[in-house]
Amino acid sequence: MTDLIKMGQAAQLASRQLATLTTNQKNDALRIIADELEAQSAVVLAQNVIDLEKAEAKGTSPALMDRLRLTEERISKLASDVRDVATLPDPVGSAIDSNVLPNGMQLSRRRIPVGVLGVIYEARPNVTIDIASLSIKTGNAVILRGGSETLNSNLTLVNVIQAGLEKSGLPSVAVQYIDNPDRALVSEFMKLDKYVDMLIPRGGHSLHKLCREQATIPVITGGIGVCHVYVDESADFENALNIIENAKVQRPSVCNALDTILVNDKIKDQFIPLVAKRMAENQVALRADERAMAVLGGNGHGATVEPAGPEDWDTEWMSLVLGVKIVDTLSEAITHIQDHSMDHSDSIVTNNWGNATRFMNEVNSSAVFVNASTRFNDGGQFGLGAEVAVSTQKLHARGPMGLEELTTYKWVCIGDGHIRP
């Protein structure tokens, strides 16, 4: 039987040891884990095949199958990402700011590890490696709970991580995994506040809602995106088409993939047929509003087109489907995004800097882009290394949660016999 109390106690003790490690000790451990991952790749892939076969037998969607799948190339990339984390500056121990008070006391805020992280996630075994590497680098212990669909892959990956920790002389319990797929354990895990300092759910809306309602641990939510690209009347068409194609097609199953394009009415007749043709070349089906349907006519310019329903503007497609809506003004585009975005990633394509500035100021997503694909909202792309999650809330962290976002701080006061008058 899984004993979460014992796991929490072990993680808390391990976190105290990790908090005292030097940067070199943490970096050495990460490099050893990367070596171990490559050495054990055949074992990891064999277990991943078992997960994939079970998922396929259940009729799992192609988008989710892509999230589940590991390959030699993906494992090599994961090992490279772990080594990259080892090269990043260590935030632990650094001073955020410092000051000398009028009374001569030296005051500073110093970054420290959060302590023990709890992460609940679904369908992506690469997340196991990403979270573990960032946690180790920041001196945090972590308890992981992945989805049942990736149980074999995740257990094998955690074994690899723990083997690397042991070879480094660090406690293997610094990274633990809840190996029992019983959903009842999720509710118990969310109340482990005596030992777990921060809970990060990575999954669908229902998981986030469950954590917000039931957890007694502080929760950071994110990882759900209904992402938009607004094509302004001044936009360069070729740039816009390339951005839309990349944001939609490059990896459609992830949270920063494009879901809806908003096209200014003044360019609809010229631009929307071009979008339809480009999307048809990539097997992307369209969900179009009435005005876009009228522009596309009966043949859809080669694309599969269906009328959009009201629910489509709130759908994270995670597949080769794209919503198309015509708007009259920038104001209407911003209002639509404010009403339907999940505050993840939204972009404007424009040659009007005034419009770009207004979009940046009024769209309050975790990352806002000008003339760039939403796919860039990623820890690796932002130079943060891997990421634990993309936070869409407004407290503590927003956007990709890299190393600094996994630290908190303490006040350090240095005096010389100072007493308060």
Side-chain angles (χ1 to χ4, degrees), residues 92-404:
V92 177
S94 64
I96 298 173
D97 49 38
S98 60
N99 189 27
V100 178
L101 300 179
N103 64 4
M105 182 181 291
Q106 299 176 45
L107 186 65
S108 65
R109 289 187 296 159
R110 186 177 299 173
R111 291 194 182 277
I112 61 171
V114 170
V116 178
L117 309 176
V119 185
I120 305 172
Y121 56 109
E122 301 169 355
R124 293 177 66 183
N126 63 292
V127 173
T128 303
I129 297 295
D130 291 344
I131 294 169
S133 61
L134 290 176
S135 299
I136 292 165
K137 179 77 177 197
T138 50
N140 291 296
V142 63
I143 300 175
L144 303 167
R145 204 284 187 179
S148 59
E149 68 280 355
T150 52
L151 182 61
N152 294 284
S153 304
N154 284 335
L155 286 175
T156 308
L157 289 170
V158 171
N159 287 338
V160 167
I161 294 164
Q162 291 181 336
L165 288 169
E166 288 180 356
K167 288 182 179 180
S168 307
L170 302 182
S172 62
V173 289
V175 178
Q176 298 179 79
Y177 190 87
I178 300 174
D179 58 4
N180 188 333
D182 187 351
R183 288 182 177 272
L185 287 173
V186 173
S187 295
E188 186 180 344
F189 185 33
M190 291 190 297
K191 294 178 173 59
L192 211 63
D193 55 281
K194 186 174 180 181
Y195 306 106
V196 179
D197 298 288
M198 185 165 72
L199 185 65
I200 305 170
R202 288 186 57 154
H205 176 73
S206 59
L207 173 62
H208 288 212
K209 184 173 184 289
L210 182 71
C211 289
R212 285 194 299 267
E213 291 176 350
Q214 295 190 14
T216 58
I217 305 166
V219 177
I220 292 206
T221 57
I224 302 174
V226 176
C227 303
H228 302 80
V229 169
Y230 168 58
V231 184
D232 184 50
E233 62 185 284
S234 67
D236 179 282
F237 282 11
E238 188 63 23
N239 280 346
L241 291 170
N242 291 337
I243 288 167
I244 290 168
E245 179 181 14
N246 178 261
K248 179 72 262 180
V249 176
Q250 197 250 354
R251 195 169 182 191
S253 63
V254 293
C255 55
N256 57 16
L258 177 62
D259 297 294
T260 299
I261 62 168
L262 306 170
V263 178
N264 188 280
D265 180 77
K266 292 184 176 64
I267 60 170
K268 67 179 188 297
D269 293 325
Q270 299 80 33
F271 185 71
I272 287 181
L274 298 176
V275 171
K277 181 176 183 296
R278 183 72 70 93
M279 292 300 100
E281 293 169 356
N282 290 280
Q283 293 78 52
V284 176
L286 304 180
R287 298 289 187 272
D289 73 350
E290 289 184 8
R291 287 196 284 175
M293 288 290 291
V295 172
L296 290 168
N299 62 12
H301 295 269
T304 300
V305 185
E306 294 180 15
E311 70 283 355
D312 289 338
W313 311 124
D314 298 305
T315 298
E316 183 186 25
W317 293 112
M318 301 180 70
S319 62
L320 293 175
V321 179
L322 178 65
V324 183
K325 182 179 176 64
I326 296 171
V327 294
D328 292 322
T329 62
L330 172 61
S331 295
E332 186 180 346
I334 291 172
T335 297
H336 179 95
I337 292 171
Q338 290 170 337
D339 289 343
H340 299 281
S341 173
M342 300 297 290
D343 292 340
H344 196 293
S345 308
D346 295 294
S347 179
I348 182 173
V349 184
T350 183
N351 282 320
N352 184 317
W353 188 245
N355 287 351
T357 300
R358 186 178 166 204
F359 188 91
M360 288 187 288
N361 290 340
E362 296 185 30
V363 174
N364 196 23
S365 297
S366 74
V368 180
F369 299 91
V370 176
N371 296 329
S373 169
T374 57
R375 287 285 288 118
F376 282 103
N377 192 0
D378 173 85
Q381 295 296 316
F382 282 3
L384 305 177
E387 67 190 31
V388 169
V390 175
S391 170
T392 55
Q393 67 179 44
K394 296 182 180 179
L395 296 180
H396 173 63
R398 291 204 86 198
M401 293 182 62
L403 297 176
E404 286 190 0

